[in-house]
Amino acid sequence: MNLSDPVDILKGVGEQTRKKLNKLDIYSIEDLLYHFPREYEDRSKIIKINEIAFNESNTIIAKIASIPQNEKKGRLVITKVKIKDETGTIFAVWYGQAYLKKQFNINESYIFTGKVLYKYGKIQMESPEFERYDGKEVLSSGRIIPIYPATYKLSQKIIRQLIYQAIKETKNQLLEFLPKWIRKKYQIADYNYSILNIHFPESLEDFFVSRERLVFEELFILQTGLLRIKNKIKDNKRAIKFNDIEEVKDLIDNLPFKLTKAQIKVFDEIKKDMLSDKSMNRLIQGDVGSGKTVIAALALYIAVKNNYQGVMMAPTEVLASQHYQGLISLFEKENIKIGLLTGSLTKKNKELLLKEIEEGTINIVIGTHALIQEKVVFKSLGLVITDEQHRFGVAQRRLLFEKGSNPDVLVMTATPIPRTLALILYGDLDISIIDELPPGRQKIDTYCVDSSYRERIYKFIKKELDTGRQAYIICPAVEESEIEGLQSVINYTEQIKNEFKEYRVSFLYGKMKAKEKQKIMEDFLSGEIQILVSTTVVEVGVNVPNASIMLIENAERFGLSQLHQLRGRVGRSIHKSYCILITDSKSKIAKERMKVMEKTNDGFKISETDLHLRGPGEFFGTRQHGIPDLKIANLYKDIDILKKVQDASKELLKADPNLEADDHLLLKEKIDKFFEEKTKNISL
Ligand code: ADP
Ligand code: MG
């Protein structure tokens, strides 16, 4: 029997069973072997009838002591049979399974497992699972029993039998594909042994060892494949060694605020990288509002003062132009020339800018995706920064990187992803975390309500505006559908204007002309506009500290991390801030998700919950990461195994980047197959 054989070749699998198995995504013998138990029940303790504990599950070996009877209670058929061992007699009882009557013969022995109740003066075992016992090996009793996930009308017993059959048939034939040296070094259990013991462990010890192997294997395939895709195993090429710049201290001293401890720590880490001759490949993770931009600016400063150019790419024009303005005011007193490159520059201005970039008269370029076009050529690019990096693919990051000669790389993200996932996705990056918000920030009070509260909410917003604050209203318009979206932003803004007659209201959406967008953002920043009705273009990065209230319509439509990002537009100063989520959704999951938003402001917790509620596939689906759901590895618990995996994976690729050695061929096959099937759309 081969792993790739269809399940049909197993005894007992006819058309019906095959269909049901297919529904579970099980087609081949291999699929069956990788259909792992959801949990286990320890039935290894077989007891005597006189040792039975009431109201608990017990496992006994007993003989059939009476002819089974079917009794009727209303429409329900109850099957009863007396069973006994040398210490006593009890009843076994099943409900609505009349056919069981014919199942048993007097004096035959079975293993029964079931809950035992004392009912109507009789001791009875309720709907026990049972298996013929002839002194030989049994599957469903007398051992640690696997319980499988969703069975699609296949009983546990049948699945168990099929898997057992598949294991027996392939016993010792599974070809080990993890390289020997890796198994030895990381003490990874044998393949055949692990498959057997994940399903039918002899002992807890066997189970743990087997599980560890299978988790290792799963993460190892994923990680090694990703690293190969990224083609970013450090080539030890020497990178730029920047000199320390005394003036950076002055710049820091002259900031309008004091850097937080976390910012200082992260900046030190960056500086260390930049001042060494190794490549910097660093991810800065910091919750929304933690102050990543200023850190990026300081790094740019070091690059420029070393006569290199720096570039920072942002996912939206709004954000790029905000960064541009911010840097201009930060470097006001410096002789630093900054350019803004976006898709909407006029041809003439663009050509001029490109020329200046190429000649090196521009020191810092801020821009959108437009930066990665071929025509953009730098004179001496030394530092590449991507903001909100989860919005870009690896390929895009790579293109920007290649515009320099081995420049240092900094990527920033506010989408806090669980540490394990970060390690898998960005395994090639060093991670710095800004785990502290600037002082004085208060919790953003978040409330989820239905639309019957609208009037009250409007009143509340007015009150805030009257104290001098500003408001965002995020409207449900979908950014991509241009016309529809445009319609609803405008219509919706009309409603809002009606409602807020004495206030200055304006709107913003992604497809507007860049000039208009910029003007509106400027007016909102200066306070000219009091209420900004917007699509999710303001989702990332936008910084208007005076805004203190955000209303989000149809909140159920957004992912939790996205809501958190949106909410991060307020609470950016000392003003007490509010976020109101409106949804009329009755769905339980939607409600649960909104509750999470109300309860916590911690982006890390929020994304973990999101991951829990939706699984990594879904979680990343929205971001087109395309990471598949994992079969056995648990992204919360298995961090220790993941660490081993990463070491092993890096070591492997360093020794054999193309996996060409004999000992690596099977592994390569596995990886290729996995990535071909599962991760067509991967983009990191
Ligand atoms: P994010 O990490 O979300 O990109 P920003 O860099 O946009 O956050 O910073 C958010 C706001 O906090 C900005 O107004 C910024 O000027 C301000 N800020 C940054 N660092 C500090 C600090 N140490 N103390 C006070 N305010 C700060
Ligand atoms: Mg930012």
Side-chain angles (χ1 to χ4, degrees):
M1 198 175 284
N2 276 317
L3 282 181
S4 56
D5 286 341
V7 282
D8 309 56
I9 76 169
L10 290 173
K11 242 182 8 207
V13 179
E15 177 81 8
Q16 287 302 320
T17 309
R18 182 182 58 79
K19 276 193 185 146
K20 288 180 191 168
L21 287 169
N22 291 171
K23 282 245 162 70
L24 292 172
D25 245 348
I26 298 173
Y27 297 88
S28 66
I29 296 296
E30 179 169 16
D31 294 338
L32 200 54
L33 296 182
Y34 277 77
H35 187 66
F36 296 129
R38 159 166 60 83
E39 58 189 20
Y40 301 81
E41 207 177 295
D42 190 352
R43 299 183 188 168
S44 56
K45 230 178 105 207
I46 298 175
I47 54 168
K48 298 288 177 202
I49 284 179
N50 68 355
E51 296 167 327
I52 274 175
F54 291 141
N55 300 316
E56 286 176 18
S57 179
N58 294 268
T59 297
I60 55 171
I61 295 174
K63 274 186 179 161
I64 304 299
S66 71
I67 295 168
Q69 302 293 327
N70 278 348
E71 293 170 11
K72 277 208 159 175
K73 200 167 194 182
R75 292 167 70 189
L76 183 69
V77 177
I78 304 175
T79 308
K80 273 192 183 172
V81 62
K82 249 190 213 166
I83 57 177
K84 66 168 188 197
D85 68 8
E86 66 274 20
T87 68
T89 304
I90 59 171
F91 283 94
V93 181
W94 294 268
Y95 303 90
Q97 300 181 67
Y99 61 91
L100 287 178
K101 180 169 149 56
K102 300 222 173 74
Q103 179 95 34
F104 303 104
N105 296 316
I106 285 239
N107 271 334
E108 276 178 354
S109 286
Y110 288 82
I111 293 196
F112 295 94
T113 300
K115 196 167 168 179
V116 177
L117 299 179
Y118 186 68
K119 236 177 171 177
Y120 314 116
K122 281 183 185 136
I123 300 171
Q124 57 186 49
M125 192 175 250
E126 301 276 311
S127 308
E129 283 195 40
F130 57 88
E131 196 169 348
R132 188 69 209 282
Y133 180 72
D134 51 11
K136 290 202 205 117
E137 195 161 31
V138 286
L139 281 187
S140 294
S141 285
R143 60 187 312 154
I144 299 169
I145 299 300
I147 314 281
Y148 292 94
T151 53
Y152 204 80
K153 291 186 182 155
L154 282 166
S155 72
Q156 290 287 340
K157 207 162 144 184
I158 292 200
I159 293 204
R160 233 172 256 149
Q161 271 162 4
L162 292 176
I163 290 177
Y164 191 68
Q165 214 189 119
I167 292 175
K168 279 266 137 103
E169 292 290 335
T170 54
K171 198 172 175 180
N172 300 330
Q173 289 181 44
L174 303 178
L175 289 179
E176 180 60 79
F177 57 91
L178 291 178
K180 213 188 232 150
W181 64 269
I182 286 182
R183 281 190 44 216
K184 196 161 160 217
K185 179 159 180 185
Y186 296 96
Q187 307 196 334
I188 303 301
D190 172 73
Y191 190 18
N192 286 280
Y193 161 89
S194 301
I195 288 287
L196 172 65
N197 280 282
I198 197 69
H199 292 287
F200 302 101
E202 286 293 328
S203 69
L204 277 180
E205 182 62 29
D206 291 307
F207 161 72
F208 285 127
V209 171
S210 303
R211 180 176 184 280
E212 173 152 352
R213 145 127 205 164
L214 293 163
V215 170
F216 184 96
E217 155 189 330
E218 181 167 50
L219 294 175
F220 189 66
I221 289 173
L222 180 63
Q223 181 71 85
T224 310
L226 282 174
L227 285 180
R228 263 163 62 79
I229 288 182
K230 291 176 161 194
N231 191 19
K232 260 200 151 184
I233 293 304
K234 286 178 197 148
D235 43 12
N236 284 337
K237 208 159 57 170
R238 286 168 66 107
I240 304 160
K241 187 171 183 316
F242 294 97
N243 291 316
D244 200 359
I245 299 298
E246 278 302 312
E247 296 105 297
V248 79
K249 290 200 186 72
D250 303 335
L251 193 64
I252 292 174
D253 288 341
N254 287 324
L255 288 171
F257 43 73
K258 224 171 129 244
L259 291 180
T260 62
K261 272 206 198 88
Q263 283 171 315
I264 292 171
K265 181 193 72 194
V266 169
F267 182 56
D268 282 345
E269 287 166 352
I270 292 170
K271 224 167 75 176
K272 211 163 144 211
D273 285 351
M274 288 182 78
L275 303 190
S276 89
D277 62 1
K278 281 201 310 240
S279 294
M280 171 163 76
N281 252 306
R282 192 167 282 281
L283 170 73
I284 305 183
Q285 245 194 57
D287 210 344
V288 277
S290 61
K292 294 181 289 295
T293 321
V294 65
I295 301 302
L298 295 175
L300 286 168
Y301 188 71
I302 293 183
V304 171
K305 284 288 170 180
N306 275 277
N307 293 320
Y308 282 95
Q309 290 169 296
V311 63
M312 174 147 73
M313 182 162 70
T316 64
E317 287 196 21
V318 171
L319 186 51
S321 99
Q322 178 186 293
H323 284 332
Y324 174 71
Q325 308 291 349
L327 288 183
I328 285 188
S329 69
L330 180 65
F331 296 137
E332 206 174 28
K333 299 197 184 88
E334 305 279 336
N335 184 20
I336 294 178
K337 208 165 170 213
I338 307 170
L340 176 64
L341 180 67
T342 64
S344 54
L345 278 182
T346 61
K347 203 165 162 221
K348 211 176 105 208
N349 284 339
K350 189 169 170 192
E351 272 164 16
L352 187 66
L353 181 59
L354 288 177
K355 193 162 152 265
E356 289 179 307
I357 297 173
E358 189 159 4
E359 286 170 353
T361 44
I362 292 235
N363 308 106
I364 297 176
V365 189
I366 309 297
T368 57
H369 295 80
L371 286 168
I372 54 183
Q373 293 164 350
E374 267 168 48
K375 286 175 288 185
V376 186
V377 180
F378 288 83
K379 178 150 184 268
S380 58
L381 182 57
L383 176 64
V384 170
I385 302 179
T386 352
D387 192 18
E388 307 294 347
Q389 82 87 35
H390 57 284
R391 293 292 199 91
F392 298 99
V394 218
Q396 293 170 318
R397 263 164 46 196
R398 185 93 202 154
L399 282 174
L400 194 56
F401 170 81
E402 279 164 0
K403 291 190 182 289
S405 159
N406 216 13
D408 277 354
V409 173
L410 201 56
V411 299
M412 309 198 290
T413 186
T415 295
I417 54 179
R419 207 153 61 98
T420 25
L421 258 185
L423 285 172
I424 294 173
L425 295 175
Y426 312 123
D428 53 337
L429 300 178
D430 299 312
I431 300 182
S432 289
I433 300 177
I434 306 184
D435 51 5
E436 171 186 11
L437 293 178
R441 299 281 169 81
Q442 302 173 46
K443 183 176 176 294
I444 302 168
D445 282 350
T446 302
Y447 306 97
C448 180
V449 297
D450 62 36
S451 45
S452 69
Y453 282 76
R454 201 177 294 277
E455 288 307 310
R456 260 184 272 180
I457 291 164
Y458 287 161
K459 251 196 218 135
F460 185 60
I461 294 180
K462 285 176 188 165
K463 229 176 76 197
E464 277 294 295
L465 298 178
D466 291 341
T467 66
R469 303 285 79 75
Q470 289 162 279
Y472 290 96
I473 301 184
I474 304 303
C475 95
V478 183
E479 190 59 30
E480 292 84 63
S481 68
E482 195 174 2
I483 296 164
E484 249 176 72
L486 183 142
Q487 281 291 356
S488 52
V489 186
I490 294 174
N491 288 346
Y492 188 73
T493 307
E494 286 312 310
Q495 284 175 38
I496 296 291
K497 277 186 173 158
N498 258 330
E499 191 61 45
F500 292 85
K501 283 210 176 69
E502 314 82 80
Y503 300 86
R504 301 180 298 278
V505 180
S506 194
F507 62 86
L508 184 73
Y509 60 89
K511 298 269 155 65
M512 271 164 117
K513 287 227 175 68
K515 277 248 164 62
E516 280 179 79
K517 274 193 282 196
Q518 196 170 329
K519 174 88 176 59
I520 285 172
M521 282 317 297
E522 276 164 18
D523 289 351
F524 191 50
L525 186 61
S526 71
E528 189 54 40
I529 295 168
Q530 291 174 289
I531 300 182
L532 184 63
V533 181
S534 171
T535 60
T536 55
V537 268
V538 296
E539 177 186 337
V540 290
V542 169
N543 187 33
V544 178
N546 189 49
S548 67
I549 185 159
M550 170 171 280
L551 170 66
I552 303 178
E553 296 278 354
N554 290 74
E556 78 282 355
R557 293 209 194 169
F558 302 103
L560 284 189
S561 296
Q562 199 180 9
L563 285 175
H564 181 62
Q565 287 269 2
L566 280 167
R567 175 171 65 180
R569 298 315 111 214
V570 297
R572 302 195 137 237
S573 65
I574 50 165
H575 304 302
K576 174 82 192 159
S577 295
Y578 306 89
C579 175
I580 292 149
L581 307 166
I582 298 192
T583 176
D584 287 325
S585 167
K586 299 269 178 299
S587 130
K588 224 174 123 191
I589 292 221
K591 283 193 180 137
E592 220 172 295
R593 296 171 67 225
M594 295 307 128
K595 258 217 198 88
V596 175
M597 292 303 296
E598 288 180 335
K599 271 205 304 244
T600 175
N601 269 289
D602 179 340
F604 193 81
K605 266 199 203 122
I606 287 173
S607 69
E608 286 208 331
T609 316
D610 217 10
L611 187 67
H612 252 322
L613 288 175
R614 298 193 294 168
E618 281 272 332
F619 182 80
F620 283 103
T622 52
R623 300 275 185 222
Q624 285 103 45
H625 277 293
I627 291 289
D629 281 317
L630 298 170
K631 272 187 162 29
I632 187 163
N634 178 312
L635 291 171
Y636 304 98
K637 291 194 234 148
D638 293 325
I639 183 114
D640 290 338
I641 301 180
L642 181 65
K643 284 200 183 114
K644 287 191 199 172
V645 162
Q646 293 197 303
D647 291 344
S649 191
K650 282 181 186 161
E651 198 177 341
L652 171 71
L653 289 178
K654 204 169 157 196
D656 183 10
N658 296 316
L659 303 181
E660 290 160 332
D662 284 351
D663 198 17
H664 301 155
L665 290 181
L666 282 175
L667 174 66
K668 179 169 189 299
E669 229 171 78
K670 281 265 179 201
I671 292 174
D672 289 347
K673 189 165 158 244
F674 180 83
F675 275 85
E676 187 186 317
E677 282 174 5
K678 308 258 168 73
T679 46
K680 289 202 178 80
N681 305 319
I682 215 143
S683 95
L684 300 171

